[in-house]
Amino acid sequence: MAFNLAQSGAAAASFAPSTARRVAAPDSVTAQRNAYQMPSLRLQRREACKPSVAPSRPAMPMACRAHGSKARRSGVPVFVMMPLDTVNKCGSGLNRRKAMAASLAALKSAGVEGIMVDVWWGTVESEGPGKYNFAGYMELMKLARKTGLKVQAVMSFHQCGGNVGDSVNVPLPRWVTEEMDKDQDLTYTDQWGRRNYEYVSLGCDAMPVLKGRTPVQCYTDFMRAFRDHFADFLGNTIVEIQVGLGPAGELRFPSYPESNGTWRFPGIGAFQCYDRYMLSSLKAAAEAAGKPEWGFTGPTDAGGYLSWPEDTLFFRQDGGGWDSQYGQFFMSWYSQMLQDHGDRVLSGATSVFGSTPDVHLSAKVAGIHWHYGTRSHAPELTAGYYNTRHHDGYQHIARMLARHGAVLNFTCVEMRDHEQPQDAQCMPEGLVRQVAAAARAAGIGLAGENALPRYDDTAHDQVVGTAAERAEEDRMVAFTYLRMGPDLFQPDNWRRFAAFVKRMSKSGSCREAAEREAHGVAHATGSLVHEAATALRC
């Protein structure tokens, strides 16, 4: 997800955090990476990577030749996120059909591997339980196939709207919110009684609270309906299923909601464990630990959404409750509840897609990089990531994903430490390294996203360095670019983006060579890109 800091420029934009692969044995990251590329595409990349010198072109700079001598045979495929409102609210068709056709054609011409699209639960199953309308998404899949683009389909079981970057409003299905209105403990709840309708509380995962079905059954039935409806596209056009596991599609608690100004960067957020289902689980865990007095509430000294760690007794560096026996118990329980939720939903996804050839699962983890330099890592803790100076929380998440052969999709890949506000001890580069190490240790692939739209070379250089210019075993399996829109198709932005795609796909080609190719792409697609930009603004 993204945050509006009311600032401009690349550095200001970088302050914010976010929003193919086979279900196979998790001991082969290289196999997962190669599975993204259909044979014909692999051949094209091998041919593209062969050195060639055209007499009509200027000589390649010495630095570029030296760098190019280390060019690798395969790169990182780039996907592009579609607009949030790609499909209209009733689900019957595409918004801006003309723009979609021109945009996809332009992306294909730039060497993009495919697109990512949110398949909204609130759109598809809006008319009632088990009544699915995929008509608009079918139109998109046909267009993608015609254009020759692959598709990453996101099973979006969360609400769209209420956070910066959410340009449209897609609530949960009406019949779901009706049940949440009747029993507000189906919503995530903080210690002040604030209810959050972004995602059904994981505390009731196994309870038949949604018209006789459990939430996990609803998610699994939705994915099964998707599989059956798009059977002819799975494995050839649709190559990835990203399974939504929480707000913004991320495996986390909604600890930093921006709606109504509840949270602002870089606040630490707040624990979301005060609905009666979560409290019932906490009570049982405390009794099992022989500490029943710990089971009545979460930490009461953890500050508020806008607090900083040192403002609180629980998160302060010296003597904070996070490092006490109680704090360790609570954080272990809170984070385990989140991991168990991911495990349950991914088990459903594996049962649906696990036997489908060339369809690959992924799950998204949020890039919570602010206050990362502190000992307690407070914002990560409130989100459910038990990651402190003494405890690596991402290893446990990666191992859970490995059980399902799922790739770990991570954001904030474009950020640099020095671009962030130093007083908030933001360390996105260190966080990305830690998550990458966890994925590597678990034997799963790591994919990436940028947290905010960035069209500048500085952000592109950071992504290329983090994702592509690495040894084969450390390279990301894919990168998804946020987001397709009129700004992407502005001439300068489009030229830089085309160069970025070339650099990613060739893993080792230098910027100068990629820019020369990008000029050709920009010239050849000028009218198409203009048409796309104009139509998207309508």
Side-chain angles (χ1 to χ4, degrees), residues 157-158 172 180 183-205 215 219 245-248 250-255 257 270-278 305 333-334 337-339 341-342 344-345 382-383:
F157 301 119
H158 61 283
L172 300 184
M180 296 168 82
D183 179 3
Q184 292 206 326
D185 284 295
L186 301 182
T187 66
Y188 283 116
T189 307
D190 62 23
Q191 69 183 56
W192 304 280
R194 181 187 182 278
R195 306 288 188 173
N196 189 307
Y197 276 68
E198 288 185 69
Y199 190 83
V200 179
S201 170
L202 61 81
C204 59
D205 270 356
Y219 306 148
L245 299 173
E250 299 166 335
L251 178 65
R252 65 173 176 85
F253 291 98
S255 56
F271 293 113
Q272 306 291 310
C273 59
Y274 293 88
D275 64 76
R276 75 171 184 271
Y277 301 103
M278 291 288 286
Y305 288 99
W333 166 79
Y334 189 65
M337 289 289 285
L338 186 66
Q339 292 168 41
H341 171 69
R344 285 189 288 267
V345 180
T382 58

Side-chain angles (χ1 to χ4, degrees), residues 41 126 157 229 253 312:
L41 294 176
S126 62
F157 301 119
H229 203 81
F253 291 98
T312 75

Side-chain angles (χ1 to χ4, degrees), residues 90-260:
C90 64
S92 61
L94 294 176
N95 286 319
R96 302 178 296 272
R97 287 181 176 86
K98 184 178 180 181
M100 290 297 109
S103 299
L104 296 194
L107 294 179
K108 178 65 177 178
S109 71
V112 167
E113 183 87 352
I115 59 173
M116 173 181 277
V117 63
D118 288 283
V119 183
W120 296 108
W121 185 26
T123 295
V124 172
E125 201 177 352
S126 62
E127 293 305 311
K131 298 178 181 179
Y132 304 103
N133 179 9
F134 289 106
Y137 292 100
M138 177 60 75
E139 189 175 349
L140 178 65
M141 301 308 169
K142 290 179 179 178
L143 182 58
R145 170 180 282 179
K146 180 179 178 181
T147 311
L149 292 171
K150 307 304 178 187
V151 177
Q152 298 170 321
V154 184
M155 304 291 101
S156 295
F157 301 119
H158 61 283
Q159 168 188 294
C160 179
N163 289 306
V164 174
D166 289 346
S167 56
V168 299
N169 182 49
V170 183
L172 300 184
R174 184 181 65 254
W175 54 274
V176 173
T177 58
E178 287 173 354
E179 295 303 310
M180 296 168 82
D181 287 339
K182 293 176 186 175
D183 179 3
Q184 292 206 326
D185 284 295
L186 301 182
T187 66
Y188 283 116
T189 307
D190 62 23
Q191 69 183 56
W192 304 280
R194 181 187 182 278
R195 306 288 188 173
N196 189 307
Y197 276 68
E198 288 185 69
Y199 190 83
V200 179
S201 170
L202 61 81
C204 59
D205 270 356
M207 299 181 183
V209 294
L210 298 180
K211 305 291 186 182
R213 290 185 296 168
T214 70
V216 173
Q217 286 175 331
C218 290
Y219 306 148
T220 304
D221 289 345
F222 182 94
M223 290 186 282
R224 186 177 298 109
F226 181 89
R227 179 200 64 189
D228 295 345
H229 203 81
F230 294 99
D232 292 341
F233 293 84
L234 292 171
N236 48 72
T237 299
I238 302 171
V239 294
E240 177 185 338
I241 302 296
Q242 185 174 113
V243 183
L245 299 173
E250 299 166 335
L251 178 65
R252 65 173 176 85
F253 291 98
S255 56
Y256 48 96
E258 290 192 292
S259 58
N260 302 317

Side-chain angles (χ1 to χ4, degrees), residues 29 46 53 73 173 234 277-278 354 373 405 420 424 426 449 489 496:
V29 175
R46 286 197 293 269
V53 179
R73 296 184 68 189
L234 292 171
Y277 301 103
M278 291 288 286
Q420 318 306 319
C426 302
E449 296 179 4
F489 294 119
R496 284 191 290 264

Side-chain angles (χ1 to χ4, degrees), residues 457-474:
D457 287 331
T458 298
H460 292 165
D461 287 347
Q462 181 69 9
V463 174
V464 171
T466 302
E469 291 183 342
R470 293 178 175 273
E472 179 72 19
E473 63 273 13
D474 291 331

Side-chain angles (χ1 to χ4, degrees), residues 251 339 342-343 346 395-404:
L251 178 65
Q339 292 168 41
D343 202 21
L346 284 170
Q395 287 185 357
H396 299 278
I397 293 172
R399 290 170 190 158
M400 182 273 291
L401 297 180
R403 291 197 293 272
H404 304 282

